[in-house]
Amino acid sequence: MAPSFVVNGDLAAAAGGASVPAPTNTGRFASVYSEVQTSRIAHELPLPSVFKGSFQIVDGPASSSAGNPGDIAKLFPCLFGQPSAMLVPSSASAIGSGGTLKIGVVLSGGQAPGGHNVICGIYDYLQERVKGSTLYGFRGGPAGIMKCKYVELTSDYVYPYRNQGGFDMICSGRDKIETPEQFKQAEETAVKLDLDGLVVIGGDDSNTNACLLAENFRSKNLKTRVIGCPKTIDGDLKCKEVPVSFGFDTACKIYSEMIGNVMVDARSTGKYYHFVRLMGRAASHITLECALQTHPNITVIGEEVAAKKSTLKNVTDYIVDVICKRAVSGYNYGVILIPEGLIDFIPEVQQLIAELNEILAHEVVDEEGLWKKKLAPQSLELFEFLPQAIQEQLMLERDPHGNVQVAKIETEKMLIQMVEIELEKRKQEGTYKGNFKGQSHFFGYEGRCGLPTNFDSTYCYALGYTAGALLQSGKTGLISSVGNLAAPVSEWTVGGTALTSMMDVERRHGKYKPVIKKAMVELDGAPFKKFASLREEWAAKNCYISPGPIQFVGPSSDAVNHTLLLELGALA
Amino acid sequence: MAPSFVVNGDLAAAAGGASVPAPTNTGRFASVYSEVQTSRIAHELPLPSVFKGSFQIVDGPASSSAGNPGDIAKLFPCLFGQPSAMLVPSSASAIGSGGTLKIGVVLSGGQAPGGHNVICGIYDYLQERVKGSTLYGFRGGPAGIMKCKYVELTSDYVYPYRNQGGFDMICSGRDKIETPEQFKQAEETAVKLDLDGLVVIGGDDSNTNACLLAENFRSKNLKTRVIGCPKTIDGDLKCKEVPVSFGFDTACKIYSEMIGNVMVDARSTGKYYHFVRLMGRAASHITLECALQTHPNITVIGEEVAAKKSTLKNVTDYIVDVICKRAVSGYNYGVILIPEGLIDFIPEVQQLIAELNEILAHEVVDEEGLWKKKLAPQSLELFEFLPQAIQEQLMLERDPHGNVQVAKIETEKMLIQMVEIELEKRKQEGTYKGNFKGQSHFFGYEGRCGLPTNFDSTYCYALGYTAGALLQSGKTGLISSVGNLAAPVSEWTVGGTALTSMMDVERRHGKYKPVIKKAMVELDGAPFKKFASLREEWAAKNCYISPGPIQFVGPSSDAVNHTLLLELGALA
């Protein structure tokens, strides 16, 4: 139980690499590992069977785009239409030119469990399949490419990060390579390091960026090829060929552990309604997955709120109706899940905030409230409906540009206050006789950097290994794609999907830009339909499930998230 | 991965109890278990070796009290001075009268992981050692005793709660048996159910209450004996014979998992200071244990703040000093642990709140702030030092008695604001050139109802088994005591400690009352000294440890918390 694995110093010996330079990264190396962390380093990862022998790349048919193919073709003249690729066993000797490779890798955007394993997968592929190759890790995200800030990854260097959470091996960043000057900087780095390839590990924006970079390198006749990898805990980067983004599985299981604990507490204590806000600003996949894992009494899915054009009052009433019904059954407690981005799904709230921004920028806000007459009637009604504390928050807290800081609104606390007000009203009307006490939670950062589950560890390793194979075979502008994920790992399929095939155009800041559209919760998809078919029972009764802490060996250690299994048709 | 264990219906068959009445508790039974929950039901628990054969009770010397023995002797004329008891192997046939027993059990106060296993331990002891006995579970805490609200616990009934978190088998409550009428009600229940014994599972107050009940029953010549069990995640109910209260181990590991994740996130992102408030209002054991498990940059221990008579400004300056030093080293991130009860440890804050309560009750609070002249100079200075949001919170939010609600102050957010203000000052003075962004967290309810660790599962089962043995042997007024906890379970010692020996008197509401003093963090104890010897290094460098999720099999699954091992001298 005492920390038993001192990484510093002993590592070179442990890894058995006598001639490898001593570690220079002092982040992890100066640190001490817990017993579980140490055990995870040694955890062996299975690979899809195609990687057990020789393989070849088989191209599919020419691809199109997710929308507006004409525009995408214009934006990607070199890459548009290229086929997706599949790795298949082969008796042929080897793919690629046979020479060694120089590859760069970069982490882009927010943390997601498993990122280190993607890098380890690329590294091991090169070690085992293209001996003598070099892997550079760009530091601090895309800025590391532009500034040519990198570290050469060695066996010793990557060793302590195997199956570990976080992005601290080379760290991440949120910069983008967008302007002509920035593309020029990237080219200079590619030339300077003589890069054969670059792996971009990131979300929808980062993979769009990766494709632009691939197009740019190709158009300049640079040899540097670019492969993307699907990363985001939010689960909103996916398509048929890329069934899930990595990190989603781990993050949802960490949140579900906490939600399950809170549920047992709610049932034991019998007097609290826990309002749990979950990370995921754009899509509600995390909230939906956690609901499927834990069976809360109420779950708000942003995409449904938007589809129904619900108002904040509608959402409040829905919650209050369930609370009233449960009070009749003698339950004055419960658990309610709310996606972080809820407010962004409610049109009237967006309207109110836009009007407030305008008023606060140009008008005098008088104490008597005469300024409110500037609000449209519907916005005024909503404003008056909001609890005073939220009204004040909307008026006071503004960002440097003078805009209301929506992100700072603690939606779970706002809903508790609105529910309290509505319940008080119903109490006075005689339609509610229960007791209500709200407790608020936000589960966010805890989930982004946990130790990756066995699923995420294995999936990421395969993604990295695949990226290595795609680069060796000369591919560019593809996203590493590992499929058939409900089957045993040996049967997983491996290939690359044309990034342009996932793209559409979107007008941003007056310009048409290529985008990989975020995959939202589909209201006619299997995960939502399963949830919708059960939620009334979950609301009325207590069907709570407590998944418990993530296990790395023994029961549930090979579990896969419900969303993925339902989407693959592997779970009824 | 799919929930595979439907408890409803199949239970009777699974437990093999054909003649046992069908389950009537619909809380758990209507529910579905996760794979991990199901696997925990089947987890077999080792017992101390004394329970493997016949044993006898050996009494120690006459006991005294923790303080004011004269007063305690007067309050407990029947029980004062009674010896503690130890179970030792014996070739004699059996302890006790040989007849069957009727025993009641009650859960008192807040949830703590392992409570169900105490009940299972009592149940199994009776099943295996005193066949034909009956165990009643009083529902909803001590109120269940007073109202004679109970359920007869059967093999089927307790089965699905084995090694599970929560208190929902019979639920808990915070009522106390205090007044003569309430003691009378308890007597009536004891007589009505013909109780031979009662096990009270609770914290310091509940165990004090248990002893008063034992004294009362004895003084009335009732046969009902009372045994206590040490429960609280806060870890503040302990003494030499009771080395730890149950639940502390699990709760600290759950919090440490989250803290470790946040640390990896902090290091990966490189731009946030995470302020983590941890449950534990009275003592800072949880915060200290989590610090020992994770090595945060800054840890505030309430007992040290009190011993040093620190002001809020002192605490803020300490944090700011570390942040400034780290900025020089290039670290603009970190993790800071704060005990929930911090404010209660700062004398000047208590003073300010007392004055505010007085002013708010009797004076007009004018907008110009003339009312502030009523504050003592030191209190005024503190008030002006507080961020405006906290000032408003102090003035606005009051409980039904008109008192400021200290518990509602989010200490972690308050500290972030005060740190921001001080850093801004230093920036203008030129002594700080870094960037600061605070993120706040409160880890509380997530930890109270988690699946108990192997340690808590085993410890609680032994506590329950011991309680059964003590009752069978005719003991009363003892607290179940399981010791030698750093050794293998087979070598754990088993006995009972006189509750009066843990007591002192305290003046409450003008009356002298017996109390079991809360065990605070000892500044010259091994856990604090270890922490103090390392904290400077933790502050300057990044020595973060990520313990990862609690494991039930494999590496770290038999880990025991640092505090206990250090106090037992089993860890250097």
Side-chain angles (χ1 to χ4, degrees):
Chain A
M1 187 261 353
S4 58
F5 189 85
V6 179
V7 180
N8 195 2
D10 295 337
L11 253 191
S19 65
V20 189
T24 52
N25 177 324
T26 56
R28 289 266 172 172
F29 285 45
S31 172
V32 171
Y33 271 27
S34 71
E35 200 176 333
V36 173
Q37 283 180 297
T38 307
S39 74
R40 292 305 288 164
I41 291 185
H43 174 69
E44 280 191 36
L45 297 166
L47 275 170
S49 62
V50 71
F51 286 125
K52 284 176 187 156
S54 295
F55 56 82
Q56 61 182 25
I57 304 268
V58 176
D59 284 339
S63 68
S64 180
S65 69
N68 296 297
D71 293 325
I72 296 296
K74 269 182 232 160
L75 287 161
F76 297 93
C78 302
L79 296 181
F80 180 77
Q82 70 167 338
S84 293
M86 182 68 78
L87 271 67
V88 296
S90 159
S91 53
S93 58
I95 59 166
S97 63
T100 61
L101 294 172
K102 289 192 176 123
I103 306 287
V105 60
V106 67
L107 293 162
S108 183
Q111 275 58 247
H116 288 147
N117 273 26
V118 178
I119 301 176
C120 292
I122 305 167
Y123 182 81
D124 288 357
Y125 181 86
L126 295 178
Q127 286 290 301
E128 284 154 35
R129 297 264 176 174
V130 205
K131 282 204 205 318
S133 294
T134 308
L135 182 60
Y136 300 108
F138 288 105
R139 286 183 172 282
I145 300 176
M146 295 187 276
K147 296 178 192 160
C148 199
K149 215 176 131 199
Y150 66 92
V151 59
E152 185 180 333
L153 299 176
T154 62
S155 174
D156 279 7
Y157 200 97
V158 303
Y159 179 75
Y161 298 94
R162 290 181 182 272
N163 303 308
Q164 304 295 313
F167 272 9
D168 46 327
M169 187 204 287
I170 53 176
C171 291
S172 180
R174 293 190 183 271
D175 303 275
K176 283 184 191 172
I177 302 173
E178 285 184 310
T179 66
E181 297 73 38
Q182 290 169 329
F183 276 112
K184 187 92 190 78
Q185 290 173 326
E187 287 164 33
E188 284 166 9
T189 294
V191 171
K192 184 180 170 194
L193 294 181
D194 190 31
L195 287 187
D196 297 290
L198 174 67
V199 181
V200 177
I201 304 169
D204 49 341
D205 267 359
S206 306
N207 274 285
T208 303
N209 221 230
C211 196
L212 287 167
L213 208 51
E215 176 72 25
N216 183 63
F217 287 156
R218 177 64 60 90
S219 72
K220 302 283 170 66
N221 279 318
L222 291 189
K223 68 169 179 177
T224 313
R225 305 176 289 275
V226 186
I227 297 293
C229 275
K231 172 231 71 170
T232 166
I233 64 164
D234 294 352
D236 55 10
L237 169 56
K238 61 180 169 186
C239 61
K240 194 168 144 281
E241 296 81 6
V242 180
V244 67
S245 56
F246 76 78
F248 176 73
D249 189 76
T250 306
C252 288
K253 283 175 185 161
I254 292 173
Y255 299 143
S256 294
E257 175 196 355
M258 297 300 124
I259 295 164
N261 288 358
V262 164
M263 284 171 164
V264 175
D265 202 277
R267 183 167 52 197
S268 294
T269 314
K271 64 178 176 187
Y272 293 121
Y273 268 95
H274 294 269
F275 286 63
V276 181
R277 178 167 50 115
L278 292 164
M279 219 171 220
R281 189 161 292 280
S284 297
H285 295 289
I286 290 177
T287 301
L288 179 57
E289 171 64 25
C290 291
L292 291 167
Q293 287 193 30
T294 63
H295 304 185
N297 302 106
I298 299 171
T299 308
V300 182
I301 299 297
E303 288 84 343
E304 189 183 27
V305 168
K308 290 188 173 172
K309 298 193 172 55
S310 299
T311 63
L312 207 47
K313 177 89 171 70
N314 295 149
V315 175
T316 307
D317 283 345
Y318 171 62
I319 296 172
V320 168
D321 288 347
V322 172
I323 291 174
C324 289
K325 267 189 211 161
R326 287 177 60 79
V328 173
S329 309
Y331 301 136
N332 285 300
Y333 61 88
V335 175
I336 299 169
L337 305 189
I338 305 151
E340 188 183 20
L342 175 60
I343 281 183
D344 296 326
F345 285 103
I346 304 180
E348 59 163 5
V349 177
Q350 290 305 314
Q351 178 61 30
L352 168 64
I353 286 168
E355 291 180 29
L356 285 177
N357 284 340
E358 199 62 27
I359 290 170
L360 291 168
H362 301 112
E363 310 280 340
V364 175
V365 176
D366 57 307
E367 293 225 352
E368 288 74 35
L370 293 173
W371 64 269
K372 289 182 194 168
K373 294 192 179 163
K374 300 276 191 321
L375 289 171
Q378 199 197 359
S379 293
L380 177 60
E381 195 184 335
L382 173 61
F383 188 80
E384 300 290 2
F385 174 65
L386 293 172
Q388 200 190 336
I390 301 294
Q391 288 182 359
E392 284 172 12
Q393 211 170 0
L394 285 174
M395 302 302 292
L396 291 173
E397 295 197 19
R398 277 171 275 166
D399 70 14
H401 308 289
N403 293 324
V404 168
Q405 290 196 270
V406 186
K408 283 221 170 171
I409 296 175
E410 295 173 306
T411 324
E412 70 284 17
K413 290 188 181 169
M414 181 180 79
L415 281 175
I416 288 175
Q417 290 179 16
M418 294 194 305
V419 164
E420 274 171 355
I421 292 166
E422 180 63 26
L423 283 173
E424 191 51 45
K425 219 178 85 191
R426 298 204 189 179
K427 206 159 219 172
Q428 282 170 12
E429 292 167 3
T431 53
Y432 172 64
K433 294 184 170 62
N435 298 303
F436 176 82
K437 276 187 194 169
Q439 289 284 355
S440 64
H441 305 263
F442 173 50
F443 298 148
Y445 295 92
E446 304 89 319
R448 304 198 314 176
C449 278
L451 278 164
T453 57
N454 282 336
F455 173 78
D456 267 331
S457 298
T458 307
Y459 179 55
C460 287
Y461 192 64
L463 285 173
Y465 224 82
T466 303
L470 293 171
L471 285 174
Q472 192 195 3
S473 65
K475 295 290 180 189
T476 190
L478 304 183
I479 186 168
S480 180
S481 309
V482 176
N484 199 27
L485 297 172
V489 178
S490 62
E491 296 168 32
W492 285 3
T493 58
V494 167
T497 305
L499 280 163
T500 47
S501 77
M502 298 165 70
M503 285 189 194
D504 199 342
V505 286
E506 199 173 78
R507 201 176 162 85
R508 284 190 191 176
H509 308 297
K511 279 186 181 175
Y512 281 102
K513 290 206 164 191
V515 290
I516 297 174
K517 277 233 174 123
K518 281 188 196 295
M520 308 301 283
V521 169
E522 302 282 353
L523 301 187
D524 57 357
F528 183 84
K529 277 162 79 178
K530 168 127 191 207
F531 155 74
S533 74
L534 295 168
R535 63 175 153 185
E536 276 185 44
E537 191 187 350
W538 296 351
K541 302 179 191 170
N542 299 316
C543 306
Y544 304 146
I545 291 189
S546 181
I550 290 169
Q551 299 296 293
F552 295 115
V553 289
S556 95
S557 59
D558 287 323
V560 180
N561 61 83
H562 294 233
T563 301
L564 178 59
L565 294 181
L566 286 163
E567 287 182 339
L568 294 175
L571 192 67
Chain B
M1 188 259 354
S4 59
F5 189 86
V6 180
V7 179
N8 194 3
D10 295 336
L11 253 190
S19 64
V20 190
T24 51
N25 177 325
T26 55
R28 288 267 173 175
F29 285 44
S31 172
V32 171
Y33 272 26
S34 71
E35 199 175 334
V36 173
Q37 284 180 298
T38 306
S39 75
R40 293 304 289 165
I41 291 185
H43 174 70
E44 280 192 35
L45 297 165
L47 274 171
S49 63
V50 71
F51 286 125
K52 284 175 187 157
S54 294
F55 56 82
Q56 61 181 22
I57 304 269
V58 177
D59 284 339
S63 67
S64 181
S65 70
N68 297 297
D71 293 325
I72 296 297
K74 269 183 232 158
L75 287 161
F76 297 94
C78 301
L79 296 181
F80 180 77
Q82 70 167 339
S84 292
M86 180 69 78
L87 270 67
V88 295
S90 158
S91 54
S93 59
I95 58 168
S97 62
T100 61
L101 293 172
K102 290 191 177 121
I103 306 288
V105 61
V106 68
L107 293 162
S108 183
Q111 275 61 245
H116 288 146
N117 272 26
V118 178
I119 300 175
C120 291
I122 304 166
Y123 182 81
D124 287 356
Y125 181 87
L126 295 177
Q127 286 291 300
E128 285 154 33
R129 297 266 176 172
V130 205
K131 283 204 203 318
S133 295
T134 308
L135 182 60
Y136 299 110
F138 288 105
R139 287 183 172 281
I145 300 175
M146 296 186 275
K147 296 178 191 160
C148 200
K149 213 176 133 200
Y150 66 92
V151 59
E152 186 179 333
L153 299 177
T154 62
S155 174
D156 279 6
Y157 200 97
V158 303
Y159 179 76
Y161 299 94
R162 290 182 183 271
N163 303 309
Q164 305 295 314
F167 273 9
D168 45 327
M169 186 203 288
I170 54 176
C171 291
S172 180
R174 294 189 182 273
D175 303 274
K176 283 184 189 172
I177 301 172
E178 286 184 311
T179 65
E181 296 73 38
Q182 290 171 327
F183 277 112
K184 189 91 189 76
Q185 290 173 324
E187 285 163 35
E188 285 166 8
T189 294
V191 170
K192 183 178 170 197
L193 294 181
D194 190 31
L195 287 187
D196 298 288
L198 175 67
V199 181
V200 177
I201 304 169
D204 50 339
D205 267 0
S206 304
N207 274 285
T208 303
N209 221 231
C211 196
L212 286 166
L213 208 53
E215 176 72 25
N216 182 63
F217 287 156
R218 177 65 59 90
S219 73
K220 302 280 170 67
N221 279 319
L222 291 190
K223 68 169 178 176
T224 314
R225 305 177 288 276
V226 186
I227 298 293
C229 275
K231 173 231 71 170
T232 166
I233 64 163
D234 294 352
D236 55 8
L237 170 56
K238 61 181 169 185
C239 61
K240 192 166 146 281
E241 296 81 5
V242 181
V244 67
S245 58
F246 77 77
F248 175 73
D249 189 75
T250 306
C252 289
K253 283 175 185 161
I254 291 173
Y255 299 143
S256 294
E257 175 196 356
M258 297 299 124
I259 295 164
N261 288 359
V262 165
M263 283 172 165
V264 175
D265 201 277
R267 182 166 52 194
S268 295
T269 314
K271 63 179 179 187
Y272 293 122
Y273 268 94
H274 294 269
F275 286 63
V276 181
R277 178 166 51 114
L278 292 163
M279 220 170 219
R281 189 161 294 279
S284 297
H285 295 290
I286 289 177
T287 301
L288 179 57
E289 171 64 25
C290 290
L292 290 167
Q293 287 193 30
T294 62
H295 304 185
N297 302 107
I298 299 171
T299 308
V300 182
I301 299 296
E303 288 85 342
E304 188 183 26
V305 168
K308 290 187 171 170
K309 298 190 173 58
S310 299
T311 62
L312 208 46
K313 177 90 172 71
N314 296 148
V315 175
T316 307
D317 283 344
Y318 170 63
I319 295 172
V320 168
D321 288 346
V322 172
I323 291 173
C324 288
K325 267 189 210 160
R326 287 177 60 79
V328 173
S329 309
Y331 300 135
N332 284 301
Y333 62 89
V335 175
I336 299 170
L337 305 189
I338 305 150
E340 188 183 20
L342 176 60
I343 281 182
D344 295 327
F345 285 104
I346 303 180
E348 59 164 6
V349 177
Q350 289 305 314
Q351 177 62 30
L352 169 63
I353 287 167
E355 290 180 30
L356 285 178
N357 283 341
E358 199 63 26
I359 290 170
L360 291 169
H362 302 111
E363 312 279 340
V364 175
V365 176
D366 57 308
E367 293 225 352
E368 290 74 36
L370 292 173
W371 64 271
K372 290 183 193 167
K373 293 191 178 163
K374 299 276 191 320
L375 289 171
Q378 200 196 358
S379 293
L380 178 58
E381 195 183 334
L382 172 61
F383 188 80
E384 299 290 3
F385 173 65
L386 293 172
Q388 200 190 336
I390 302 295
Q391 287 182 0
E392 284 172 12
Q393 210 169 4
L394 285 174
M395 302 303 292
L396 291 175
E397 296 196 19
R398 278 170 275 166
D399 70 14
H401 309 289
N403 292 324
V404 169
Q405 289 196 271
V406 186
K408 284 221 169 171
I409 296 175
E410 295 173 304
T411 323
E412 71 283 17
K413 290 189 181 168
M414 181 179 79
L415 281 175
I416 288 175
Q417 290 179 14
M418 295 195 305
V419 164
E420 274 171 355
I421 293 167
E422 181 62 27
L423 283 173
E424 191 49 47
K425 218 177 85 190
R426 298 204 189 179
K427 207 159 219 175
Q428 282 170 12
E429 291 168 3
T431 53
Y432 172 65
K433 293 183 171 62
N435 297 303
F436 175 83
K437 276 187 195 169
Q439 289 284 356
S440 65
H441 306 263
F442 173 50
F443 298 148
Y445 294 91
E446 303 90 318
R448 305 198 316 176
C449 277
L451 278 165
T453 58
N454 281 336
F455 173 79
D456 268 332
S457 297
T458 308
Y459 178 55
C460 286
Y461 193 65
L463 285 173
Y465 225 82
T466 304
L470 293 171
L471 285 174
Q472 191 195 4
S473 65
K475 296 290 181 187
T476 191
L478 304 183
I479 185 169
S480 180
S481 308
V482 176
N484 199 28
L485 296 173
V489 178
S490 62
E491 296 168 32
W492 285 3
T493 59
V494 167
T497 305
L499 280 163
T500 48
S501 76
M502 298 166 70
M503 285 189 193
D504 199 342
V505 285
E506 199 174 77
R507 201 177 163 83
R508 285 190 192 176
H509 307 298
K511 276 188 182 175
Y512 281 102
K513 289 209 165 190
V515 290
I516 297 175
K517 277 235 175 121
K518 282 187 194 298
M520 308 301 282
V521 169
E522 303 281 353
L523 301 187
D524 58 356
F528 184 84
K529 278 163 77 177
K530 168 128 191 207
F531 155 74
S533 74
L534 294 168
R535 63 175 152 184
E536 278 185 42
E537 192 187 349
W538 296 351
K541 302 178 191 171
N542 298 317
C543 307
Y544 304 146
I545 292 188
S546 181
I550 291 169
Q551 298 297 293
F552 294 117
V553 289
S556 95
S557 59
D558 287 324
V560 180
N561 62 84
H562 294 233
T563 301
L564 177 59
L565 293 182
L566 286 163
E567 287 181 341
L568 293 176
L571 191 67

